[in-house]
Amino acid sequence: GRGKRSLALNIKRPPGAAALKRLCSAADVLIEPFRHGVMEKLGLGPEVLLKENPRLIYARLSGYGQTGKYAKSAGHDINFLALSGVLSKLGRKDENPCAPINLLADFAGGGVMCALGIVVALYERTKSGKGQVIDASMVKGVAYLSSFLWKSQNLGLWNRPRGENLLDSGAPFYETYKTSDGKFMAVGAIEPQFYSQLIKGLGLDPDKLPSQLSFSDWPKMKKKFASIFAQKTQAEWCSIFDGTDACVTPVLSFDDVASHQHNKERRSFIKNDQEEISPRPAPLLSRTPSVSSFKRDPFIGEHTEEILLEYGFNKQEIAKLYSDKVIEFSKPKANL
């Protein structure tokens, strides 16, 4: 909610649905996060709202999409990831598939792809003057994000069982290793010239090692690398590999990431007025960079009155909606 305002509106009540319809008549974009059919039942489907405002971008962000067997079913990131096929590729050898928290389907396949769809629709509207409906399915979104996996199947990158391939923890040069102080280093030395610098930093003789791409030697090499990384602290390994092209970096915790020199120089993290640290918005635009908000996230309903007034509701209408429990106010108190 950083940098946003909050309006609390009960659209299950007819006056609330009418209020949302009125808001959408002057809006550019509506992001709708429900399962298929919910908005239609409330009389707020795209056919209704686009008739009121033909320029509206109606973005439907859902797990399974607006059609198909699961369109009206509940689900979470792990389910969408599973149905996309991507989850089958995630996890270590001889272990169950493992979902990477809820970042891939929810936020990447869902949020980011929906945002991209909105940008595309807004750009198209500059030519046609018309809005349209966006069907942003997390299953389809994360499947599309995995296009590289599909397109690279014939390159030999994924022809071994899960956890035995180049980028899924099978390779010793694409792995994380524990240091003597209980922290970790991330290694991504894929190209031969980067791999040679990794070997040099580890103090190994390349002439006494098997070929980098000798699959049968990968398990043995992983054990060798692990034993070496365990002999020094994370800071010591950083002093060895920083400034090289060995593709070796520290695995930073949330406690450490904002204070890392690179992130400090890039101003990649910000602290709000509540002393809470979070990432600065990205990407960075040269001519119109974003202006980060340092205020706390809004309380739910904090700006209800303010927003309704901006959209042409008078104070009597707002008072009626409040007395009918259609809208909510939060701190600070509304002045009606």
Side-chain angles (χ1 to χ4, degrees):
R2 181 178 65 200
K4 297 181 176 69
R5 295 184 297 171
S6 174
L7 180 153
L9 179 66
N10 183 0
I11 60 175
K12 291 183 179 180
R13 301 280 302 279
L20 180 62
K21 188 184 298 184
R22 187 168 163 185
L23 290 167
C24 287
S25 68
D28 286 305
V29 181
L30 172 70
I31 301 176
E32 180 258 299
F34 303 118
R35 288 182 240 172
H36 172 71
V38 172
M39 290 292 273
E40 282 79 0
K41 287 181 181 179
L42 298 171
L44 296 169
E47 297 81 4
V48 174
L49 297 188
L50 281 167
K51 184 177 181 180
E52 298 273 339
N53 178 7
R55 290 176 56 82
L56 181 68
I57 307 300
Y58 194 117
R60 314 196 80 165
L61 176 58
S62 65
Y64 296 115
Q66 300 303 310
T67 59
K69 179 180 179 178
Y70 293 162
K72 296 185 179 181
S73 300
H76 281 293
D77 185 287
I78 193 169
N79 307 116
F80 312 141
L81 202 58
L83 202 62
S84 74
V86 176
L87 185 56
S88 70
K89 297 292 186 180
L90 306 179
R92 293 185 175 276
K93 180 181 179 181
D94 299 327
E95 294 183 8
N96 293 353
C98 181
I101 316 182
N102 69 322
L103 290 176
L104 267 184
D106 281 355
F107 296 105
V112 174
M113 295 302 286
C114 182
L116 177 59
I118 291 170
V119 171
V120 171
L122 286 170
Y123 177 73
E124 192 281 334
R125 193 179 69 178
T126 65
K127 300 177 180 298
S128 67
K130 298 179 180 179
Q132 58 184 304
V133 180
I134 298 169
D135 181 356
S137 155
M138 295 179 189
V139 174
K140 289 188 70 173
V142 74
Y144 183 58
L145 284 175
S146 73
S147 295
F148 165 72
L149 303 183
W150 292 89
K151 297 293 186 179
S152 61
Q153 287 186 99
N154 296 327
L155 299 180
L157 296 178
W158 312 106
N159 56 358
R160 301 171 66 83
R162 183 178 62 249
E164 296 183 23
N165 299 281
L166 182 68
L167 302 177
D168 64 359
S169 78
F173 49 85
Y174 202 87
E175 178 62 286
T176 57
Y177 293 100
K178 195 170 186 177
T179 58
S180 63
D181 54 347
K183 298 182 180 181
F184 295 89
M185 298 298 290
V187 176
I190 298 175
E191 292 80 358
Q193 65 272 30
F194 301 156
Y195 182 72
S196 66
Q197 293 195 46
L198 167 66
I199 296 304
K200 180 181 178 181
L202 292 176
L204 295 171
D205 183 350
D207 294 331
K208 296 181 180 180
L209 299 176
S211 167
Q212 178 186 357
L213 298 180
S214 176
F215 297 113
S216 61
D217 290 302
W218 278 3
K220 178 179 65 177
M221 291 299 294
K222 288 182 72 169
K223 290 181 180 178
K224 181 184 288 289
F225 287 2
S227 67
I228 297 174
F229 272 107
Q231 296 170 18
K232 290 182 171 62
T233 66
Q234 186 186 73
E236 289 174 323
W237 285 118
C238 286
S239 68
I240 291 172
F241 286 112
D242 281 2
T244 74
D245 278 341
C247 300
V248 179
T249 51
V251 177
L252 299 174
S253 68
F254 272 28
D255 292 332
D256 299 330
V257 67
S259 61
H260 187 274
Q261 182 181 351
H262 177 80
N263 293 328
K264 285 173 65 177
E265 292 173 356
R266 292 280 298 169
R267 298 190 303 144
S268 299
F269 294 83
I270 59 176
K271 185 181 293 186
N272 68 11
D273 56 10
Q274 305 292 304
E275 298 296 303
E276 298 169 332
I277 296 174
S278 59
R280 185 180 294 272
L284 182 64
L285 304 184
S286 64
R287 185 172 54 80
T288 56
S290 62
V291 178
S292 300
S293 171
F294 295 96
K295 296 181 180 180
R296 57 160 174 77
D297 289 358
F299 299 118
I300 294 176
E302 181 173 346
H303 307 97
T304 297
E305 179 186 9
E306 176 185 319
I307 295 170
L308 291 176
L309 286 170
E310 287 180 14
Y311 275 78
F313 289 75
N314 60 45
K315 290 204 171 187
Q316 290 72 30
E317 289 176 311
I318 296 173
K320 174 64 173 171
L321 290 171
Y322 181 69
S323 65
D324 291 343
K325 302 187 185 307
V326 174
I327 59 175
E328 291 182 12
F329 298 124
S330 186
K331 185 181 177 182
K333 187 177 180 181
N335 299 313
L336 294 178

